[in-house]
């Protein structure tokens, strides 16, 4: 489960928005860039490959709520 989820906008908000996302998962602190395309660029340490799909799905849901629903 993701805890202490935080995000902040970085770069141009108009053309290609992206966000820096940080959170804890199983006691490890992770950071990633969440791109406007829905892709991720992980900082080190990156989560294990076996966990990335699950975490990316959870981040998508959180971003839909916090960013996209708030802008509507």
């Amino acid at each position: 489960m993701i805890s202490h989820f935080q995000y902040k906008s970085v770069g141009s908000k108009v053309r290609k928005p992206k966000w820096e996302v940080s959170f804890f998962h199983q006691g490890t602190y992770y950071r990633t860039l969440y791109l406007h395309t829905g892709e991720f660029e992980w900082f080190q340490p990156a989560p294990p490959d076996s966990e990335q799909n699950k975490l990316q799905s959870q981040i998508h849901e959180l971003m839909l709520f916090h960013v996209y629903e708030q802008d509507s």
Side-chain angles (χ1 to χ4, degrees):
M1 177 196 291
I2 289 177
S3 65
H4 297 86
F5 176 81
Q6 295 182 347
Y7 67 95
K8 67 179 178 181
S9 180
V10 294
S12 172
K13 295 180 183 179
V14 177
R15 295 183 52 87
K16 296 181 180 177
K18 59 185 169 184
W19 299 265
E20 182 177 334
V21 174
S22 62
F23 60 93
F24 283 89
H25 175 67
Q26 295 181 341
T28 303
Y29 179 74
Y30 295 108
R31 292 185 324 142
T32 186
L33 285 180
Y34 179 79
L35 307 178
H36 72 285
T37 58
E39 296 176 11
F40 293 82
E41 293 180 4
W42 292 96
F43 294 96
Q44 292 299 320
D49 291 340
S50 61
E51 293 287 315
Q52 283 189 15
N53 284 339
K54 179 178 76 171
L55 290 172
Q56 289 174 180
S57 177
Q58 291 176 11
I59 293 168
H60 279 304
E61 291 293 321
L62 289 165
M63 293 301 286
L64 283 172
F65 177 77
H66 288 290
V67 175
Y68 296 111
E69 291 294 324
Q70 302 298 325
D71 289 343
S72 300

